[in-house]
Amino acid sequence: MDGLNVSDVNLQVQLHPSRSNNVRKSVLRELSSLLLRFNEKFQGVVLAYEFNIDKVPEILPSMHPYLYVRLKAKLLLFSPKPDMLLEGKVVKVRQESIHVIILGFSSAIITDKDIREEFQYKTKHGKDLFVSRSHKRHVIKAGTMIRLLVKSVDEETLCISGSLLPAHTGSILWLDKHVENVSLTDGSNKRRRGNEEESVMQEPSRTSAEAYSMVDHYIKKSKKHREYATQKPSRSEAYSAISDHSIKKSKKHRESAMQEPSRSEAYSAISDNSIKKSKKHKTREES
């Protein structure tokens, strides 16, 4: 979790002479007053400490003498800043917000506008919860430990405004089991965005290539059309060929008509033939 850091500091503690019998216990009491409070000097909330007394306590000469104790201490500080990832326990879920406790003392609220559309609000067995549309087992309800993104921090009240918009936020239990899938999804989304940018950059060349191929197609088509046009006779040539054919046909018809006997000649030939047949018949009867 972000926001936690250890700081090495030099401290000075003033103790009343009446506490000189047990200096260490008195120092512990003084340092305990710093816990779970925002300290401007350290720019954070003191969560824990350990210390060593650097020198033997000295009495300061003044109107009110005090024991002057120098310490070397290590402080565990909680310093949340915007865009940090924090972890906390959900204590209440409503349709318009999710309420979280961080480290047992700092409160955080996530409003519905800061909850990504992947999560859908539902009520199941009287309990309010948010369920992922893409992963049914990714559920946020009261008692769930979640990871959230810090939007802003109120130092006086230690109240944090959080967000669940990033893909790597949500239920810690689910995220730890599917961290590889989430990272792969983020990587594929980045690659997809990169490919889209590359395709946009390459779009003019692709368009020009398509245009060139279309031009080549029409050029080949026009060449074929011209070759076909040169091989094909023109309309006038076709008409002249048809007329020549009809003239030749008419000439053949006239020649056949000239060679064929007329109807009168055919009738005369038939009558002559019948006269000859009748004469032969009469000679047979006389004989």
Side-chain angles (χ1 to χ4, degrees):
M1 184 177 82
D2 298 336
L4 294 175
N5 58 82
V6 177
S7 179
D8 294 326
V9 295
N10 295 321
L11 298 177
Q12 298 176 359
V13 179
Q14 294 180 6
L15 300 178
H16 193 273
S18 62
R19 298 179 182 177
S20 60
N21 293 332
N22 196 338
V23 175
R24 187 172 183 83
K25 184 177 180 180
S26 300
V27 171
L28 287 173
R29 184 178 298 175
E30 291 294 327
L31 293 180
S32 295
S33 63
L34 301 177
L35 293 176
L36 304 181
R37 294 181 180 180
F38 185 84
N39 192 299
E40 292 183 357
K41 181 179 180 180
F42 305 131
Q43 289 298 308
V45 179
V46 179
L47 300 180
Y49 59 85
E50 63 180 23
F51 67 94
N52 292 317
I53 298 176
D54 190 19
K55 289 184 178 182
V56 178
E58 299 177 354
I59 297 177
L60 298 178
S62 62
M63 296 288 295
H64 303 282
Y66 276 83
L67 292 175
Y68 183 72
V69 183
R70 294 180 180 181
L71 308 173
K72 287 185 177 180
K74 285 187 176 181
L75 304 180
L76 176 61
L77 301 175
F78 176 58
S79 305
K81 297 289 188 297
D83 297 330
M84 284 186 176
L85 288 175
L86 301 182
E87 297 176 0
K89 184 178 181 180
V90 177
V91 294
K92 186 186 293 185
V93 175
R94 293 290 182 267
Q95 186 174 1
E96 63 277 3
S97 61
I98 298 174
H99 298 265
V100 184
I101 288 292
I102 299 173
L103 298 176
F105 72 94
S106 180
S107 62
I109 184 171
I110 306 168
T111 60
D112 55 351
K113 66 179 182 180
D114 295 320
I115 301 174
R116 61 181 180 273
E117 296 180 356
E118 175 189 349
F119 289 103
Q120 182 181 8
Y121 174 80
K122 289 185 178 181
T123 302
K124 187 175 182 180
H125 304 298
K127 296 182 178 179
D128 301 329
L129 46 87
F130 281 91
V131 182
S132 172
R133 290 185 173 91
S134 55
H135 305 283
K136 298 300 182 182
R137 294 186 179 181
H138 193 180
V139 180
I140 297 176
K141 59 183 179 180
T144 303
M145 293 296 296
I146 67 170
R147 185 174 294 123
L148 58 92
L149 185 73
V150 178
K151 289 183 62 182
S152 61
V153 181
D154 188 347
E155 296 177 353
E156 293 182 359
T157 60
L158 297 179
C159 186
I160 297 171
S161 176
S163 170
L164 291 178
L165 294 178
H168 54 277
T169 58
S171 172
I172 296 175
L173 182 62
W174 188 90
L175 290 172
D176 290 343
K177 290 181 179 179
H178 302 82
V179 61
E180 294 181 359
N181 295 334
V182 172
S183 62
L184 288 174
T185 304
D186 291 342
S188 61
N189 290 335
K190 290 179 181 179
R191 287 193 297 270
R192 190 179 298 110
R193 287 193 295 268
N195 293 335
E196 289 177 356
E197 292 175 357
E198 289 179 359
S199 63
V200 170
M201 293 176 67
Q202 295 176 358
E203 187 67 19
S205 60
R206 186 176 65 85
T207 306
S208 59
E210 290 180 354
Y212 287 136
S213 63
M214 292 175 66
V215 170
D216 293 338
H217 173 71
Y218 283 115
I219 289 173
K220 292 178 181 179
K221 191 174 181 180
S222 60
K223 285 182 178 179
K224 289 182 180 179
H225 181 72
R226 286 197 299 270
E227 290 174 358
Y228 177 73
T230 55
Q231 295 174 0
K232 186 179 178 180
S234 62
R235 184 173 295 181
S236 58
E237 293 176 349
Y239 284 149
S240 62
I242 293 171
S243 60
D244 292 339
H245 177 70
S246 61
I247 290 170
K248 290 179 181 179
K249 191 175 182 179
S250 61
K251 286 181 179 180
K252 288 182 180 179
H253 182 70
R254 285 197 298 270
E255 289 176 355
S256 61
M258 290 175 66
Q259 293 175 1
E260 185 181 2
S262 62
R263 184 176 294 181
S264 60
E265 291 176 348
Y267 284 149
S268 61
I270 291 170
S271 60
D272 293 339
N273 190 14
S274 59
I275 292 170
K276 288 178 180 179
K277 283 183 179 181
S278 62
K279 285 182 179 180
K280 287 181 182 180
H281 183 67
K282 288 180 181 180
T283 54
R284 287 179 184 176
E285 289 181 350
E286 289 177 354
S287 60

